[in-house]
Every structure is written in structure tokens, then in C-alpha cells.
Amino acid sequence: MKTLQELLLEFHNEIPKKDLRDVPMNAFIIDVRQIEEIRSTKLISNAVHIPRGKLEFVISQLDGISESSPIYLYCAAGIRSALAGMSLKRLGYKNVFNLGGFVDLLES
């Protein structure tokens, strides 16, 4: 059985971490935090809010999204976004990236 640290390392290796400055104009930026977290901090520019628990069910409903669309995920600390990225990869999305945590984004 793998430890949580081993799983996170595996997820981070499979879902590359990117900087907000590297996000192309045609990318989908998704905030996977809970609504309570967003109320106190807001979303980053051009981001869509889809909570982690609903992502797999509603991702295909985003207007213009396809399996080859660039998708950039973030959460509070970067862990849920890595997990969400793995789920999207398993669903067949090919260009999935992790922006990390909200605090990381404020510093970039």
C-alpha cells in the first residue's frame, strides 16, 4: 500500500505544476475549492469554480471544452488540484496542469 506522500508525489509527477504566467489565453482555469473558501478570497481572473467533488460530473458541460483543451487547476494548497488533475486524466483529458495553491498564485 502506498503512503499519502507517495501518492502525492506520483500525482505531481503526472500532473505538471505550472506557473500562472504560463497559462495560454485559450486555457480553462478551474478553481476546485469549496464555496466557503472562495467567499473569503474570490477567484483568480478568468477562473471558473467547480468544487472538487463535482468536477468529474460537470467538466464536460463547460462551453468549448474538449479532451485536448488545456486545463489548469488550483485549490487552497495544491493537493486537491493534483487529485482533480489525475481524475481528469483518467477521464481522457490530455492537457491537464496544476497551478498549485491559491497563495502560490498570489505570489506569482
Side-chain angles (χ1 to χ4, degrees):
M1 176 182 265
K2 293 182 182 181
T3 67
L4 178 59
Q5 289 296 77
E6 291 170 330
L7 280 177
L8 290 175
L9 181 60
E10 183 180 309
F11 294 168
H12 287 299
N13 287 335
E14 191 160 336
I15 308 300
K17 185 140 187 312
K18 296 287 185 171
D19 190 275
L20 187 57
R21 294 174 287 220
D22 299 329
V23 177
M25 294 297 291
N26 67 332
F28 289 86
I29 302 173
I30 303 174
D31 185 326
V32 297
R33 296 178 295 163
Q34 295 299 315
I35 191 67
E36 297 80 21
E37 296 171 285
I38 292 172
R39 285 187 184 129
S40 63
T41 59
K42 307 292 183 216
L43 293 170
I44 64 167
S45 181
N46 300 322
V48 182
H49 174 240
I50 305 175
R52 170 68 191 99
K54 296 182 180 181
L55 183 65
E56 295 85 351
F57 301 102
V58 300
I59 185 78
S60 63
Q61 297 171 12
L62 288 178
D63 191 35
I65 201 159
S66 71
E67 289 180 351
S68 61
S69 297
I71 301 170
Y72 290 75
L73 305 160
Y74 72 94
C75 61
I79 296 170
R80 283 175 287 177
S81 52
L83 294 169
M86 287 297 292
S87 292
L88 293 182
K89 283 274 197 164
R90 289 182 178 135
L91 286 174
Y93 293 92
K94 296 168 183 58
N95 297 309
V96 181
F97 305 96
N98 186 359
L99 290 172
F102 187 78
V103 174
D104 299 330
L105 298 174
L106 294 178
E107 294 173 357
S108 60

